[in-house]
Amino acid sequence: EKGGHDYFMLKEIAEQPQAVADTLLGRLTPRGQLRLDEMRLSDDELREIDKIIIIACGSAFYAGLTAKYAIEHWTRIPCEVELSSEFRYRDPILNRSTLVIAISQSGETMDTLMALRHAREQRARVLAICNTNGSTIPRESDAVLYTHAGPEVGVAATKTFLTQVVACYLIGLYLAQVRESKFGDEVAAEVDQLDRMPQAVEQALGTMEQIRSLARELATAKSVLFIGRHVGYPVALEGALKLKELAYMHAEAFAAGELKHGPIALIEEDLPVVVVVPPRGRDVLHDKIVSNVQEIRARGARTIVLAEEGDESVTPYADVLISLPKVPTLLQPLVATVPLQIFACELAMARGNDVDQPRNLAKSVTVE
Ligand code: BG6
């Protein structure tokens, strides 16, 4: 049942190209338009939205953080992302024109369920992104967009994370299409790029062997830092979370621009630092992060750099260079997360941990 893999998680990592393809299936039209019949919110209702709040926990929260960059860019609707467990205790400002997007793989996470009930009491519209048909969160929402990742057995989210990002992107592009936002004309080009993602994710799986030997070398490391910028920042957060969950290692992620405001004090000889470098298209950010890599390396840290294939600017400062397929910046999280999942999984195995059932964790947490 593990399809020849030692762990469900490895099987689920390998299934990601298919999971992404299945989540796109039937939702893209040949003319580069989106069809989201299941949205059950009318075009008029979608046009009234003036604020989006994404609520979620764990990896789903990082999928939401990633989506914020794309949704705001495409729709020009302000988008906040908040942990479900914090949301309803701070008296959030909600009304009829607020769209709350609740992301949950299981559809049963109590923190998210309580947050969505609070949102509905304040008359916000709630749209669920969920992987489990008929679960509580979609039943209590105004509409649902299912991720079609298939069952995920490993406790740590992998293919559901990627498909949550895809589902959020579909919603963002759909809103841009319906509202004819400034960006509306470009929807077709983005849809086309999204359609190519299963192959790109497949290519990212090609980093497996390289990461495996890296993980063996780092099995006794005390701590690993992750840095990224723009959508690479939530990728860094997700990479650090995977490492905590599976390898029980201290791991922290920072926005690369914050490094100089504190965390750089942590950099010391041999500390592994994983850096997510954006595609060269975004020159300013790309160059800034390359100088971060340089600074970190100069302080003796061991730099593990994820960068677009053919990007030679980082080669002199990378102890390990992991090549990512060439994709647009906003889609890079779908490929950059993959080696980080493998990294956490392999490190956990090298340390003798049960990857599918990490200690103290449950697949779905139905208490607050
Ligand atoms: C945690 C799981 O308890 O819940 C994570 O260990 C998951 O993997 C998080 O991301 C949120 O779960 P769900 O089902 O609401 O997406």
Side-chain angles (χ1 to χ4, degrees):
E1 56 185 354
K2 292 176 194 151
H5 296 276
D6 290 342
Y7 286 100
F8 280 106
M9 187 176 166
L10 287 168
K11 173 174 175 264
E12 288 156 4
I13 288 173
E15 283 170 349
Q16 293 182 112
Q18 191 60 48
V20 168
D22 290 344
T23 300
L24 294 172
L25 192 72
R27 289 167 171 166
L28 312 182
T29 73
R31 277 179 298 113
Q33 294 268 295
L34 289 166
R35 209 177 50 210
L36 297 185
D37 302 336
E38 62 260 66
M39 276 277 268
R40 286 206 323 249
L41 291 172
S42 70
D43 288 2
D44 281 343
E45 285 170 316
L46 294 178
R47 276 191 279 266
E48 275 163 27
I49 295 164
D50 60 14
K51 180 164 78 171
I52 297 173
I53 304 179
I54 300 178
I55 48 172
C57 310
S59 292
F61 173 68
Y62 296 139
L65 276 186
T66 308
K68 172 189 164 82
Y69 293 83
I71 290 175
E72 287 193 339
H73 174 68
W74 290 330
T75 66
R76 310 311 295 155
I77 305 171
C79 176
E80 299 169 18
V81 190
E82 187 148 9
L83 291 166
S84 308
S85 57
E86 288 293 317
F87 175 73
R88 85 192 164 105
Y89 297 101
R90 69 162 173 92
D91 198 11
I93 302 161
L94 299 158
N95 57 47
R96 207 64 203 129
S97 48
T98 311
L99 176 67
V100 170
I101 304 179
I103 312 178
S104 172
Q105 183 285 129
S106 61
E108 301 296 347
T109 299
M110 188 57 75
D111 284 322
T112 303
L113 181 59
M114 297 309 280
L116 96 76
R117 285 182 181 158
H118 181 77
R120 292 202 72 192
E121 277 162 21
Q122 315 291 310
R123 305 182 63 241
R125 296 169 210 273
V126 179
L127 169 59
I129 292 179
C130 185
N131 197 46
T132 312
N133 269 345
S135 54
T136 312
I137 287 171
R139 274 195 279 115
E140 294 205 13
S141 299
D142 294 294
V144 53
L145 191 71
Y146 282 107
T147 48
H148 297 302
E152 189 175 69
V153 178
V155 165
T158 52
K159 58 179 179 170
T160 57
F161 172 81
L162 254 63
T163 56
Q164 284 163 352
V165 173
V166 169
C168 288
Y169 282 19
L170 288 172
I171 292 167
L173 289 170
Y174 188 70
L175 282 167
Q177 178 180 301
V178 169
R179 296 161 62 102
E180 296 171 351
S181 68
K182 167 170 141 251
F183 186 83
D185 292 350
E186 291 168 50
V187 170
E190 295 293 330
V191 165
D192 181 55
Q193 293 291 348
L194 211 46
D195 207 17
R196 295 165 197 249
M197 289 315 288
Q199 296 94 291
V201 174
E202 186 73 56
Q203 196 186 328
L205 288 170
T207 57
M208 183 88 74
E209 281 314 314
Q210 186 192 8
I211 307 268
R212 195 164 273 168
S213 51
L214 172 67
R216 284 196 204 108
E217 283 171 43
L218 296 179
T220 57
K222 293 264 174 306
S223 166
V224 181
L225 301 187
F226 292 74
I227 62 168
R229 264 189 109 119
H230 193 262
V231 286
Y233 173 44
V235 169
L237 288 163
E238 172 62 6
L241 177 63
K242 290 272 105 44
L243 209 57
K244 293 175 216 179
E245 290 178 304
L246 301 166
Y248 319 149
M249 284 168 83
H250 173 252
E252 263 193 89
F254 306 104
E258 271 297 289
L259 212 56
K260 58 184 175 300
H261 300 297
I264 198 158
L266 292 169
I267 308 289
E268 57 184 17
E269 203 69 29
D270 287 333
L271 176 76
V273 183
V274 178
V275 187
V276 186
V277 177
R280 276 162 302 175
R282 297 192 73 88
D283 335 314
V284 190
L285 284 189
H286 174 272
D287 296 355
K288 283 185 189 242
I289 218 163
V290 173
S291 47
N292 289 140
V293 181
Q294 218 170 329
E295 284 158 14
I296 295 165
R297 183 79 179 314
R299 287 165 176 76
R302 188 161 176 176
T303 52
I304 301 160
V305 181
L306 278 66
E308 180 180 77
E309 58 186 348
D311 181 355
E312 275 153 23
S313 58
V314 278
T315 318
Y317 323 110
D319 290 301
V320 179
L321 182 60
I322 297 159
S323 276
L324 301 175
K326 256 183 145 59
V327 296
T329 303
L330 286 173
L331 297 181
Q332 200 194 39
L334 296 174
V335 294
T337 308
V338 175
L340 301 186
Q341 296 167 338
I342 300 170
F343 183 56
C345 195
E346 294 289 336
L347 259 175
M349 291 192 292
R351 290 160 71 98
N353 301 350
D354 180 342
V355 173
D356 288 337
Q357 293 287 338
R359 68 184 183 199
N360 310 337
L361 298 179
K363 185 70 182 159
S364 112
V365 181
T366 53
V367 291
E368 251 197 288

